[in-house]
Amino acid sequence: MTVTQSEPVTSGVAATAARPARAPNCGAPPPPHPKPTGEDRYTISEVAEHTGLSAHTLRWYERIGLMPHVDRTHTGQRRFSNRDLNWLSLVTKLRLTGMPVADMVRYAELVRLGESTFAEREQLLTAHREDVRQRIADLQSTLDVLDCKINIYADARRASERF
Amino acid sequence: MTVTQSEPVTSGVAATAARPARAPNCGAPPPPHPKPTGEDRYTISEVAEHTGLSAHTLRWYERIGLMPHVDRTHTGQRRFSNRDLNWLSLVTKLRLTGMPVADMVRYAELVRLGESTFAEREQLLTAHREDVRQRIADLQSTLDVLDCKINIYADARRASERF
DNA sequence: CGCTTGCTTGGAGTGCGCTCGAAGTCTCTA
DNA sequence: TAGAGACTTCGAGCGCACTCCAAGCAAGCG
């Protein structure tokens, strides 16, 4: 049994009841632009274009163990699958929300190790969730200050414009 | 006429009507722990303690022009005022929300230049506010994904615990 | 007086997350 | 078959925001 990468789908003994047949995919985007030919083997530049990451960054992610092993052509060029794209979409979200690369690498490693790591994965994500919540609170409180200051400047401007 | 640093108080020709006598202070904290003696001259280590910034960082902020000129004792040691603390509290918020140091330095410079820079200050803060809003949206969307994945792991754990 | 503690300076070093360059190979189109 | 352009690797370099170091000065205390 293989374990999916970006979608730890309920499988085996775990919670197969009481859930829709279609496993929840946690907001993974629909296959982005599946090739007109129906293929599933994107070049690095296609993926770069699609994800907004540079080709350099994509190679670097693979080198440090953040990509779960990308398929290759017989001549050694990378060919990314839709599954890879989904994984990258998760990674991008985590990165945007400030998860350190080392933590993402750890998570990738846990995913490779299979189901036995569910508990640690849960912990890791839960910790990050707390982090994200805290950051939202910080941002919100700054937003209040910004609103207030901007109002002051705007009032001053409007007042001076009246003359 | 001097211009306050962290509180561009409505002053002079600008908008003195229709606003409370006490200018809004945009959530600046009350004087943090005004010295028992009522003094207003904190050492660098007191400020470091209070703000959570290191003394190194405080000196560095001053060097790069992010602190508006800190008072000194006759022997050259820094003595921070409550006004300095308020400014630092703003800076800390902006920094926590990802404003680049260069932009904060620019803002500090504008504050030093006086009222004529209100418009540019408004622009700068408005741009950052957009940034912050965008980041909140990113965080929120990641939060949804995290919730979903964490639920999956938690379900799996609970299911396995039932046996 | 010597010792400790805390401050001063300028400049060098660190860690993170990329980002780029060089040199060579492969693929695609004409 | 030729040429353009995309791909490969490895390692070095970069920008940001600190962070630390060395050397020295000043104040307080026994």
Side-chain angles (χ1 to χ4, degrees), chain B residues 65-127:
Chain B
L66 189 45
M67 280 301 298
H69 173 75
V70 178
D71 213 27
R72 301 289 182 125
T73 66
H74 69 105
T75 56
Q77 295 198 357
R78 290 173 185 79
R79 288 300 178 268
F80 292 77
S81 67
N82 282 324
R83 169 177 296 184
D84 293 331
L85 290 184
N86 284 344
W87 172 254
L88 280 172
S89 133
L90 171 64
V91 162
T92 299
K93 274 192 155 44
L94 294 178
R95 187 188 61 100
L96 264 182
T97 52
M99 182 184 278
V101 166
D103 288 4
M104 295 196 283
V105 169
R106 176 66 183 153
Y107 185 74
E109 190 186 346
L110 293 174
V111 170
R112 270 200 302 282
L113 292 177
E115 290 184 29
S116 62
T117 65
F118 273 14
E120 192 178 342
R121 288 191 235 170
E122 186 187 345
Q123 268 180 31
L124 216 158
L125 295 189
T126 304

Side-chain angles (χ1 to χ4, degrees), chain A residues 43-48 51 53-70 72 76-80 88:
Chain A
T43 67
I44 199 166
S45 57
E46 286 170 326
V47 175
T51 60
L53 299 164
S54 75
H56 281 301
T57 300
L58 289 169
R59 290 191 201 102
W60 180 66
Y61 278 2
E62 192 178 346
R63 246 194 297 178
I64 64 176
L66 190 44
M67 278 302 298
H69 173 76
V70 178
R72 302 288 182 126
Q77 296 200 358
R78 290 172 185 80
R79 290 297 180 269
F80 293 77
L88 280 172

Side-chain angles (χ1 to χ4, degrees), chain A residues 4 12 14 25 28 38 42 45 61 72 85 89-91 97 100 107 111 114-115 123 128 134 143 154 159:
Chain A
T4 61
N25 67 358
Y42 313 101
S45 57
Y61 278 2
R72 302 288 182 126
L85 289 183
S89 136
L90 172 64
V91 162
T97 52
Y107 184 74
V111 170
E115 289 184 30
Q123 268 180 30
H128 184 55
Q134 179 58 56
L143 214 44

